[in-house]
Amino acid sequence: MHVNGAAVSIGNLKSKIENSEVLTLADLAAWSRPGTSLAVLGHPIKHSISPAMHNAALAALAGHEPRFADWRYFRFEVHPDDLPQALDLLHARQFRGVNLTVPHKMIAFDRVAAIDPAAGPVGAVNTLLWEDHGWRGFNTDGYGLAAAVRETLALELAGIPIILLGAGGAARGAAVECLQRGCASLTIANRTPGNLTNLLASLALMAGGIPLQGFSPSEPPPDLPANALVINATSAGLRDTDPLPIALATLPRPTAVFDMIYNPPLTPLLRAAAALGVPHANGLGMLVHQGAKALEIWSGIPAGMSAPSMAAAAQMAMAGR
Ligand code: NDP
């Protein structure tokens, strides 16, 4: 197997591991660490707080169960073109599990040996488990969303109307979770009509009897449901200069607003919710709970046990920014 770039010496790799540096494909080629290794792959990956969350949870678990003392979670910068090679190398090096973040979740879906049935309709995987014959792919984002909405807004996705903003990968995962949990209705808004049409078409069968419709965020129809949970799954709000994904005041009063974005912690959409006196929460809890579920898949330890240490680490990492 050929890996581009300069060869990495064992001493250099050891020092990078000890200093929690961003690792590369070349580091993976030279990998010789004993113990159980986990990884997150992304492009870019530098600012991911997943290593802080997972290593905090592993340290807490090791306090009760010595088998976790040699478990560590690493971050790898991997270009999408190199993802197949990275996955092969991680499997050959017997990494127990892998998390995938932007832009790898959909690419990896087509590259794994097996897919957890719940991840099938999402068409994307964020968690891989090592098995003899190859990687098994899971998607824990939907679980993370449902757990965070319950924890931060005291709401269940089942039985309530949902207004979902966005038609990208995160929106697809959220839509599948809302339908599978039996929301009362699902209404999706997206800037680009073609992407909205494609998403609605792919959800139609799964919706069954649940009302499913779409609209342009610039022209909300008059018959939108009142008391809906508004979920922002667009990336509008990541940058200061981004427009609002929707003018909240043009919707019937929502019961709450959940924004998947967590950096910045208070997006313009969440500020608008606050101004209207509507309960609101950002996406940090979703990140925590999807991570705790991934660790459950790798370790067998229930997600609820790891979530508190992951949440504390995530909050500390965000406070340090
Ligand atoms: P994608 O690139 O797949 O989709 C982006 C979506 O945002 C599209 O619907 C796009 O609309 C819309 N969009 C982008 N810019 C704008 C804009 N200026 N105005 C209106 N709409 C816009 O991204 P993902 O689905 O992967 O991620 C979406 C968001 O969810 C990101 O902010 C990501 O950080 C967050 N996320 C959070 C997670 C968590 O754990 N908290 C987990 C996963 C994602 P169009 O079709 O018109 O281009």
Side-chain angles (χ1 to χ4, degrees):
M1 190 176 289
H2 175 73
V3 175
N4 290 326
V8 174
S9 73
I10 299 296
N12 191 3
L13 176 60
K14 261 185 127 177
S15 124
K16 285 177 92 173
I17 287 177
E18 274 158 23
N19 295 322
S20 304
E21 287 180 30
V22 173
L23 301 168
T24 65
L25 208 54
D27 297 317
L28 202 47
W31 198 259
S32 63
R33 177 184 180 266
T36 300
S37 298
L38 303 164
V40 59
L41 314 185
H43 178 71
I45 198 63
K46 191 163 180 251
H47 297 294
S48 170
I49 60 177
S50 290
M53 280 175 13
H54 280 272
N55 285 321
L58 289 170
L61 287 177
H64 305 286
E65 289 196 42
R67 72 182 168 110
F68 291 111
D70 70 356
W71 286 49
R72 284 274 303 277
Y73 185 103
F74 303 95
R75 59 189 165 149
F76 286 87
E77 173 70 38
V78 174
H79 188 275
D81 292 347
D82 295 331
L83 183 66
Q85 193 181 3
L87 293 180
D88 287 349
L89 272 171
L90 287 158
H91 194 265
R93 302 288 183 261
Q94 304 208 334
F95 275 62
R96 172 133 188 90
V98 176
N99 274 152
L100 299 157
T101 184
V102 177
H104 297 315
K105 294 182 192 183
M106 277 151 91
I107 311 169
F109 183 84
D110 295 322
R111 303 274 331 168
V112 294
I115 295 276
D116 174 57
V122 183
V125 287
N126 74 336
T127 301
L128 307 182
L129 174 68
W130 191 95
E131 290 182 346
D132 281 342
H133 57 285
W135 293 112
R136 178 175 293 273
F138 298 79
N139 196 315
T140 67
D141 281 339
Y143 168 88
L145 171 67
V149 164
R150 180 182 307 125
E151 183 179 74
T152 57
L153 298 169
L155 289 172
E156 296 296 330
L157 299 177
I160 60 168
I162 308 280
I163 296 178
L164 177 63
L165 312 178
R172 175 180 298 274
V176 168
E177 192 69 22
C178 291
L179 292 174
Q180 285 180 341
R181 287 184 184 250
C183 59
S185 64
L186 178 61
T187 316
I188 307 179
N190 194 56
R191 177 182 63 174
T192 305
N195 295 341
L196 176 61
T197 307
N198 289 343
L199 178 58
L200 289 170
S202 70
L203 295 171
L205 255 184
M206 195 187 314
I210 298 174
L212 172 70
Q213 55 174 319
F215 68 97
S216 161
S218 57
E219 289 172 59
D223 59 345
L224 287 174
N227 299 318
L229 168 64
V230 173
I231 299 174
N232 180 34
T234 76
S235 39
L238 282 175
R239 287 167 298 266
D240 290 348
T241 50
D242 285 344
L244 276 165
I246 201 159
L248 264 191
T250 63
L251 304 180
R253 186 180 175 80
T255 196
V257 175
F258 185 87
D259 197 329
M260 287 195 191
I261 295 173
Y262 55 86
N263 189 23
L266 197 59
T267 59
L269 182 71
L270 293 181
R271 258 191 238 116
L276 292 170
V278 171
H280 53 279
N282 71 25
L284 195 62
M286 177 175 171
L287 182 80
V288 164
H289 288 289
Q290 64 75 31
K293 192 69 178 174
L295 190 53
E296 176 182 303
I297 289 166
W298 300 325
S299 67
I301 299 294
M305 274 183 70
S306 318
S309 42
M310 285 197 180
Q315 275 149 14
M316 202 184 296
M318 291 307 296
R321 289 201 169 168

